Each structure stands twice: as C-alpha cells, then as structure tokens.
Amino acid sequence: MQSSPTTNLSSKSAAPLEVHDLTVAYTKRPVLYGIDLEIPKGSIVGVVGPNGAGKSTLIRAIMGLLPVSSGWIKVFGKPFKQAVTRVGYVPQRESVDWDFPVNALDVVLMGRYGRLGPFKRPSKADKEIAMNCLEKVKMDSYAKRQISNLSGGQQQRVFLARALAQESDLYLMDEPFVGVDATTESAIIEILRELQAQGKTLIVVHHDLTTAPEYFDRILLLNMRVVAYGKTEDVFTFENLQNAYGGRLSILSEVALTRARKKFDGDTRDNVGQ
Amino acid sequence: MNRTGKQILFALALLALPFLAHAAKIGEISETTWTDQAIDFFTMQQPIVRTALTGSLLIGFCCGILGSFLVVRKLSLLGDTLSHAVLPGVAMGFLWNASKDPWAIFVGATAAGILGVALVGWIKQTTHLKEDSTMGMVLAGFYGVGICMTTVIQNMAMGNKSGLDKFFFGQAAALSSGDIELLSIIALITVVVILGFYKEFLVISFDSGFAQALGMPVKVLHYALMALLTFAVVVSLQAVGVVLVSALLITPAAAAFLLTDRMHWMLVLAAAFGMLAGAIGAFVSYLSNNLPTGPFIVLGATGIFLLALLFGPRHGLLPKMLRRRKQRQRIALENTLKAVFHLSESSQFKDQVFEIGRLATERNATLHETESEIRNLVKADMASRLDSRNGPEMSGQAQFELTKSGWYRACEIVRNHRLWELYLTNAAQYPIDHVHDDAEDIEHHLGEELVHRIEERLENPIHDPHGKLIPNRESIKL
C-alpha cells in the first residue's frame, strides 16, 4: 500500500508530480487506467507511446482540464488548483487558431496572466520578462509580428516562450517537437536542458522514438496504462517498446529503433540518425 | 481566406434585404419630404429623434464589442441562434401584462435565449451531432414557435396596437425611454466587464486550455460572455429586429478583423463601426414613414465592411492590387538591368555605354518598349541618358549608361540568379538544365540575409553551374 497524500510538513520538498491510481474516462470509456507515477525534481521525462495511448490525456488530466474518474494527482504535494503558478504549460500547436488577432509578444504575455489578479494589467516588468523569454527562443525580432505570419517552428517557439514567461517549477509540454524544423528542434532541446540545469522538472509528450533516448533522462512508456517507467536506460528496451506498441511497431520504426539503441548503448551525445 | 469568403457572401445576401423590406412599405410614404425629415434629424429637436439615435448608438456599441468575441472564436452562428431563440420569450414577456413593458420582455427574451443556447450545448453533448447542425435546428425551431405565438397575439384584440411586428425588422423610433434606460445599463455592464476582465477574455478566446492551466475560471467567464451577449441581443431587438441582429454582431466585427491584427484595436474599431451603422440606420429610417431601422443599420454595417474589404491597408483588395502592380514593375525593371549586365558581360565588361538598339535585340523587344524601359530606369535613378536629344523621337543609336546604384542592383540580380542555380544543382541535386526557369523567378525575391546563408552554404562560390562568373559588388566595379 502506498502511503496517503503527503503531510503539510513535507510540502516544500514534495515531488513535483505524484499520481496515484489515476483513471480517466471519456464518456465512461476509460482512456487511462490505474496510473501510478512519481517524478523527481530536476528530471526531463519523455512520455512515449502509440497514438491513442492517452499521452495528451495524462497531461490534461494533471492540469484538471479533464474530470478524473478515480485516483489522485498532487503537484508539489498539493492539488493542482493550489499549485497553479508553479506549473507551466505548452499545449499542442494545432489547439489554437493562429489567425487570432494577437502578435507574438501578446501571446507570450499571456504567460504572466496567471500571476495577475482580475482587473490588473500586465506591468512594464511583465512586458520585459515576456521580451526576455522571446529572446531566449530567438524570436525577439518577431515580437510585433501577427502570429499567422510565423512559420510552424516559430509558432512553437512562441508557445515555449509563453511557458517560460510563467516562470514555473514544473513544465508540461504536449508534443513540442511536432512539425518543427531542425533548427527549432535543437533550439528547444537546448532550452529544456537549461531549464533542467536550473532545477526545473519537465514532462514532455514525444512520439519520435529515435530521438527519445537522447532527449530524456527518464521515460514513461504509456499505452492506456504505465507499460514501463524509470531511467531511460532501464526502460528503453526492445521488449518494453514492443509491449507498449502491442506488436504494432512497424518494420520501419523497428529499424530506426535498433539504430537508436545502438547509438544509445554507445555514445549518447552523438546525434541520432542524420 | 475561407472565413473572409463566407463573410463576403453573407454581406452580399444582406444587401438585398432592405430593398425587400422597403418594397412592402412603399404604399405608405407620408406627406413630408425627406429633406424636411433629414433637417429634423440633424437638429435633433424632437425627443423621438434623440431617443432613436441614442438607442441605435448604444446598440451598435454593445453589439460591436461582443460580436468581436464571436468572430474570433468562430461562433458567429451562435449570434444568429441566440437572436432567433429569443422570439418566444418576447411573446411571453408581452403576454405577462399584455403590454410592451421593456423589463418583462427583457426577462422573457433572456430566459428564452439562455434556454436556446443551453439546448444547443445539451444536444451537442448527448448526441454526436455537430454544433452547426444543432444551432441551425434550435434557431429555426425557436423562431417557428415565436412566430406562431406573435401571430396569435396580434390576432387577439389587444394585439392590434401591440407593435410586436417591430421586433421582426426593428424600428428605432419605437424605442421608449424605458428601453434607453435598459440599454444604458447593459452598455455600462458590458464596458465594465470587458475592460475589467479583458485579459481573461483574451486568453479564453485564444487558448481556453491554457487559460484553465493558468487557473482561470474558464466556464464562468464563458457563461458571463454568453450572458452579456444575450442581454445585448435582447435589448437590440426593438431597434434592429430578430432577423438582422446577428448581422450587427458579426459585420462590424468582421470589418474590424480585416483592418487590424490586435484584439484591443479590433474591439475599438468594431464598437465604432457598430455605432456608425446604428446612426446610419436611425437616420435613413427616419427619412420616411415606416421605414424599418434594422435593414438600414445592417446596410450601413455592410457598407463599412465592403469599404474595409476594398481599401483595408493590409488585407484590402485594392492595396493588394497596387502592391502586386508595384512588384511587377520592379521585376520588369530588374529584368532590364539584368539584360544590360549581360550586354556588358559579353564584352568582358569593357562596354559601359550602351545603345538602346542593342538592348532591344538582347531583350527581344521593340525599340519602343525598350525606350520606355530605359525611361523607367532613369526615373528610378538607375540609368542616365547620354544623348542630348531627350525628346520623344526614338533612335536605336541613343545611348545610356547605368548609374552606380543601377549597376549594383544589376549585379545583385545576376548574383541571385546564378547563386540559386548553383544551390539547386549542388545542394538540391537538380539537373543542370532544370534550374534556369526557377532562378528566373527566385532572383527577384531573395533577401540579403538568405543570399548570405546560401553563399555560406556553398562556400562563397565564384562560378555558376554554366561556368559563368557570379558577381559580387567588390569584384566588378564600373
């Protein structure tokens, strides 16, 4: 038996994320079953699994965007609602309408809104922070650009900058590498490493198996339940992946995987693939 | 683009409406001339004018602001649903004490509107019908019930003077001071709520998932916006009419959307456009007896939209056309410069003065065309004529030379062309005979930064795939 939710005393040092026996259902059909998870401070966790495995659902459930059927979630030892300002979020890029009449800076400023009460406008300091965040993702020269005039990779970087502007301790990122160019991908991973070096915790939904072992130091293999979770070298085994993908692993990804694993067993710092 | 297309169709369809409405009333034109009425309107001596105008301005203001949120959230059909769904409520409110008591009608209509929107939500959740079909169904169903009820009321003895028919096409002159009171309260609430929670409404409209992750009460805010919208629709009915109030929600906001890329400016513009449309409608409908206000308000809004569509600086059709024309002219100019470069190159850059006739041969053009090209170059300060006869008569022997800036630009264009050919053959493995046409086009669009990146990638090449020199500014100087 797992002990009950943490006491007040330990809330300072509580794990960034603790999930116990979580079940989430859409119209009574469960998508996630009995998820147990504890994520230590300062780790980069890759959430990997086939389509429909519930990766995004897990992220959304953590933030209370979906009703939970059973189990509980603690963020820094508290329910999410009480830890809102400590969590940063990067949603999927397709989840918004990019024709919306805002510029890049407006979007990044939204990251500051969680800290402002109602009736309060973002201050000069907030705008400076937002500008700095745009600079970190090398998008400062596009600050005044309407967001539909940005490329896919640039849009993704704006989303990342917005999360940075939240100045949180735990970051949840839903597919930040989808549809971005190689430059953006390496820029994003650089920022993730930097965040980790500052002691932040990151949970990243990812679907590219070839880069997963290179990017993450922990991996959560998900397919409606936890197939495997732990340090990348322990979890990223062929058997586990076969289990997660239920034999649906195509020959192509198998080959890619073998290559990735060879790289991984050898030198992890080398770029995987090309 | 798709959204704009739909908006245009919608606007055009609306254009036809006022004429239909007018045609029905043509037999009732009163004795006074329209000029008298116009003077009457502008002096604003009559309280009825002041009431009608104030009411129309307030309505335009509220609808413009709230409609902006509908447009950016792709909920335009919701405004339509709401406005039709309130009709049974209007009838109920009237039946409450058999008079046009603004408050009773307000309560009835609001209840019906909320019921309609809630029904849309409920059907969407319990079936797998999509939102648009659900809205279309609820809209028509409620409207049908409403028409039945109002017809019954009008056929009853008390119905004769009920003025319920004004709720279909709107009559600003029928606004009472009680209506104005109600309108002012709603306008005030709208301003306070939207200003106070602007950033919240901005985030939930753009990215509601993120808003929730920030801990904002997304559902409460959404329902607050819907409630405001219902209020605005209900108080607008009297002046604009059930059928057209949705146009007043959408059209001014759509025009504003074409003109700006920032949400707060969109709100300001939409409010201004809504008020302008309201004033236009109130004015025109006052010119003659019994002209309905709603169609003219909508006509005004549609006119504003058409102006924005044609002349909007960034997305307007006319500026777009002008920009395209300017670009065509630039490309023609650059092609001439390139031909001059080729002439000079064929003499190993010894020739620096050229005859128009030779250029015409090189360009495969007539003397006349070439002459006008040179004139354009001179105008752009890229060439100068050497012959004293600057007159209109043409001569193949007339000479010209390129100015410094003309020569630079010529070098740039040729460099762009050859660099791109080289890039395609080297980096993209294009066959050598496939690259010329592509380069012909791209040479006019390559920016300085991109050129540097290509140069770097190709390690600052000197020759193109055909063995010709790739010029840079330092290597070739006049």
Side-chain angles (χ1 to χ4, degrees), chain A residues 189-207:
Chain A
I189 198 71
E190 204 175 292
I191 286 165
L192 299 195
R193 293 265 151 77
E194 204 177 297
L195 286 172
Q196 184 188 28
Q198 292 164 16
K200 318 256 176 181
T201 312
L202 299 99
I203 302 173
V204 183
V205 173
H206 193 62
H207 73 208

Side-chain angles (χ1 to χ4, degrees), chain B residues 43 177 418 427 440:
Chain B
T43 49
S177 58
R418 293 181 179 170
E440 274 295 283

Side-chain angles (χ1 to χ4, degrees), chain B residues 27-343:
Chain B
E28 305 172 25
I29 286 176
S30 68
E31 297 300 311
T32 48
T33 62
W34 66 270
T35 38
D36 290 345
Q37 295 285 87
I39 291 165
D40 229 30
F41 185 88
F42 282 114
T43 49
M44 280 192 245
Q45 294 298 320
Q46 311 253 21
I48 193 171
V49 175
R50 287 200 294 270
T51 314
L53 184 64
T54 315
S56 304
L57 287 175
L58 286 171
I59 287 166
F61 176 80
C62 291
C63 286
I65 288 186
L66 295 166
S68 298
F69 286 101
L70 285 184
V71 168
V72 296
R73 298 178 68 178
K74 292 181 257 178
L75 287 175
S76 299
L77 198 55
L78 193 69
D80 225 359
T81 311
L82 204 52
S83 61
H84 285 77
V86 297
L87 194 58
V90 172
M92 293 289 271
F94 182 82
L95 282 176
W96 181 253
N97 51 11
S99 77
K100 248 176 55 182
D101 174 8
W103 285 96
I105 288 178
F106 178 80
V107 171
T110 307
I114 289 172
L115 186 68
V117 173
L119 202 59
V120 170
W122 181 75
I123 294 177
K124 203 183 79 177
Q125 263 179 12
T126 47
T127 70
H128 52 268
L129 277 169
K130 297 289 173 285
E131 198 160 33
D132 56 337
S133 18
T134 315
M135 284 198 219
M137 216 164 50
V138 171
L139 177 162
F142 272 66
Y143 192 49
V145 172
I147 289 181
C148 291
M149 289 174 73
T150 47
T151 315
V152 170
I153 291 172
Q154 281 178 312
N155 287 341
M156 280 158 37
M158 62 179 186
N160 286 334
K161 290 183 207 152
S162 68
L164 269 187
D165 56 324
K166 300 283 189 281
F167 282 96
F168 287 93
F169 282 112
Q171 182 52 268
L175 287 171
S176 66
S177 58
D179 290 321
I180 298 295
E181 227 169 74
L182 196 57
L183 263 171
S184 314
I185 294 171
I186 299 302
L188 191 70
I189 294 176
T190 304
V191 170
V192 169
V193 172
I194 297 293
L195 275 185
F197 298 95
Y198 174 68
K199 65 178 195 302
E200 281 82 1
F201 284 122
L202 184 73
V203 189
I204 67 158
S205 301
F206 174 62
D207 189 349
S208 68
F210 188 74
Q212 208 160 340
L214 288 177
M216 288 179 179
V218 173
K219 279 212 173 113
V220 174
L221 287 165
H222 175 76
Y223 288 127
L225 195 63
M226 289 304 123
L228 280 180
L229 209 61
T230 314
F231 293 160
V233 165
V234 171
V235 295
S236 306
L237 287 182
Q238 182 87 325
V240 191
V242 171
V243 188
L244 294 176
V245 68
S246 68
L248 190 55
L249 284 170
I250 296 158
T251 314
F257 184 79
L258 290 185
L259 293 180
T260 175
D261 284 339
R262 305 290 298 282
M263 188 65 191
H264 56 274
W265 282 116
M266 182 171 165
L267 291 179
V268 171
L269 283 176
F273 291 163
M275 287 165 80
L276 185 60
I280 292 171
F283 171 68
V284 178
S285 83
Y286 190 74
L287 290 183
S288 171
N289 248 352
N290 271 323
L291 282 183
T293 317
F296 290 104
I297 290 185
V298 172
L299 190 60
T302 308
I304 293 167
F305 175 80
L306 286 179
L307 288 179
L309 181 70
L310 289 176
F311 303 111
R314 248 167 306 174
H315 308 288
L317 297 182
L318 204 76
K320 238 185 229 167
M321 226 167 65
L322 288 178
R323 273 199 299 272
R324 231 172 270 153
R325 217 184 88 185
K326 217 171 155 191
Q327 187 178 335
R328 267 203 309 275
Q329 283 168 346
R330 178 174 66 86
I331 289 176
L333 211 72
E334 290 175 353
N335 283 335
T336 316
L337 286 173
K338 195 173 60 172
V340 178
F341 182 94
H342 288 150
L343 274 184

